[in-house]
Amino acid sequence: MAKNKHLHIRPAEIEDIPGILRVELDRNSERYENVPDLRANLVDIFKTRIEIAKGWMWVAEYRGDIVGFLSAMPTSSNMNHFKSWEESTNNGTLIDRFDPDGNNVYVVNLDVLREWTKKNAQYLLMLKLGQRVIAEGKSIIYFESRIPEFRQWVDENYGLNNWNNYSQEERDKIAKEYALLTTYKKGKNRPYDRLLNFYISNGFIPYRVVADAFYDGESLNYGVVFFTDNPVPKYLRLAPLNILIANFIGMLAKRPKMVSMLIR
């Protein structure tokens, strides 16, 4: 992992919204091109999200510039309750969804500018989330992943014109086929979709494929629900042990060489 003493992970603030928007629009450009009304409301959406999320939303900052951000929320829901990102987050606002007493954590987003993914800013954001989850003694982290190479794969293997004529059952079957698809890289079989590969290679467990999971043309609106358990055994999820473990994880974020040892 590249050492960069100027990269800082901290809680998000209202003043960060212009930088957050830069990242959001960079990583989800097609989504906002196709649905311009969503873009028009982004400032209000992020203002509300920051106010509600409080200590569960962080930015990655480099010399005053926001290069990535992660939003999460405690919830009483779990993977089985997931219907869509829009429903889970109340269209990204977290209104009536954020439950401070919830035993689980739903990850709303993890977005990093492309050039900063090469510098592993995403891992530092994930460490910060892990630190908070452990400190709070939460049980499960879950989220929905896009499958951004799905549309192209469908076009090449089935044809998009045919896809539009398929039944919902046929589409679901194809989406599940794609989620299980692998390709041989670096001496082993890995998930075909680059984003699924990222999450699986980092220890997250795919749970189920969901139609209309997130409005995203590249994924044909499909997503894969992932989860992972709190790595701390239940009998240790008591103060002050969970706080000590969380503080140790916080120390890792300040030591890039140690973080690199955890990256697979």
Side-chain angles (χ1 to χ4, degrees), residues 12 16 31 44 61 66 81 110 125 135 160 165 193 230 251:
D16 296 322
R31 172 178 165 85
D44 289 338
E61 182 183 42
I66 305 302
H81 300 128
L110 170 59
L125 287 164
L160 288 176
N165 295 321
D193 191 279
N230 184 331
M251 291 171 58

Side-chain angles (χ1 to χ4, degrees), residues 73-88:
M73 65 176 185
T75 176
S76 298
S77 298
N78 60 36
M79 304 85 68
N80 294 312
H81 300 128
F82 179 86
K83 296 179 181 178
S84 71
W85 180 90
E86 287 80 4
E87 190 277 335
S88 294

Side-chain angles (χ1 to χ4, degrees), residues 39-86:
R39 179 171 181 166
N41 296 321
L42 280 177
V43 171
D44 289 338
I45 288 172
F46 279 113
K47 184 177 184 293
T48 302
R49 188 189 303 184
I50 291 171
E51 290 172 342
I52 292 175
K54 297 181 175 64
W56 288 93
M57 185 170 175
W58 302 270
V59 295
E61 182 183 42
Y62 177 74
R63 293 183 172 179
D65 290 331
I66 305 302
V67 300
F69 71 105
L70 186 154
S71 313
M73 65 176 185
T75 176
S76 298
S77 298
N78 60 36
M79 304 85 68
N80 294 312
H81 300 128
F82 179 86
K83 296 179 181 178
S84 71
W85 180 90
E86 287 80 4

Side-chain angles (χ1 to χ4, degrees), residues 2-263:
K3 184 175 181 180
N4 199 318
K5 63 182 180 180
H6 297 292
L7 182 62
H8 178 52
I9 309 298
R10 60 168 177 78
E13 301 174 353
I14 298 297
E15 292 74 19
D16 296 322
I17 289 178
I20 289 172
L21 287 178
R22 174 173 169 249
V23 176
E24 175 77 7
L25 295 173
D26 176 80
R27 297 318 309 258
N28 300 281
S29 57
E30 181 174 318
R31 172 178 165 85
Y32 293 109
E33 286 174 3
N34 294 333
V35 191
D37 289 346
L38 287 175
R39 179 171 181 166
N41 296 321
L42 280 177
V43 171
D44 289 338
I45 288 172
F46 279 113
K47 184 177 184 293
T48 302
R49 188 189 303 184
I50 291 171
E51 290 172 342
I52 292 175
K54 297 181 175 64
W56 288 93
M57 185 170 175
W58 302 270
V59 295
E61 182 183 42
Y62 177 74
R63 293 183 172 179
D65 290 331
I66 305 302
V67 300
F69 71 105
L70 186 154
S71 313
M73 65 176 185
T75 176
S76 298
S77 298
N78 60 36
M79 304 85 68
N80 294 312
H81 300 128
F82 179 86
K83 296 179 181 178
S84 71
W85 180 90
E86 287 80 4
E87 190 277 335
S88 294
T89 67
N90 197 347
N91 296 305
T93 65
L94 312 191
I95 295 172
D96 296 328
R97 301 293 189 271
F98 187 96
D99 178 5
D101 298 321
N103 199 39
N104 301 320
V105 173
Y106 178 74
V107 182
V108 178
N109 80 284
L110 170 59
D111 288 300
V112 174
L113 293 176
R114 286 174 175 81
E115 60 267 30
W116 280 92
T117 61
K118 299 174 183 177
K119 300 176 183 179
N120 297 315
Q122 65 273 28
Y123 292 107
L124 294 180
L125 287 164
M126 290 163 66
L127 274 177
K128 184 62 71 172
L129 172 63
Q131 181 185 11
R132 185 66 190 269
V133 167
I134 290 171
E136 296 283 336
K138 304 300 185 184
S139 291
I140 292 171
I141 302 172
Y142 75 102
F143 59 92
E144 171 265 331
S145 170
R146 300 167 57 239
I147 44 177
E149 296 172 85
F150 184 45
R151 182 180 61 191
Q152 181 177 344
W153 181 83
V154 166
D155 192 26
E156 292 172 352
N157 290 274
Y158 290 91
L160 288 176
N161 289 333
N162 293 327
W163 171 265
N164 293 330
N165 295 321
Y166 290 150
S167 67
Q168 188 64 55
E169 182 179 359
E170 290 171 320
R171 292 183 182 185
D172 290 350
K173 182 178 179 181
I174 293 171
K176 291 175 183 178
E177 173 192 355
Y178 177 79
L180 295 173
L181 195 65
T182 60
T183 184
Y184 193 75
K185 291 182 180 179
K186 297 181 180 179
K188 63 186 300 185
N189 284 321
R190 301 174 184 272
Y192 178 88
D193 191 279
R194 65 182 184 276
L195 199 51
L196 299 186
N197 180 55
F198 169 75
Y199 289 123
I200 290 173
S201 65
N202 282 284
F204 295 98
I205 302 168
Y207 188 68
R208 62 189 176 100
V209 178
V210 180
D212 297 319
F214 179 70
Y215 191 89
D216 177 59
E218 292 178 316
S219 307
L220 295 175
N221 297 342
Y222 276 85
V224 176
V225 176
F226 278 86
F227 78 97
T228 189
D229 294 317
N230 184 331
V232 178
K234 289 184 178 180
Y235 64 87
L236 293 179
R237 295 180 197 171
L238 299 171
L241 287 176
N242 57 343
I243 303 298
L244 291 173
I245 295 170
N247 287 340
F248 173 74
I249 292 175
M251 291 171 58
L252 292 181
K254 301 176 183 178
R255 291 164 171 78
K257 288 185 178 179
M258 295 180 69
V259 175
S260 67
M261 294 171 64
L262 301 177
I263 299 173

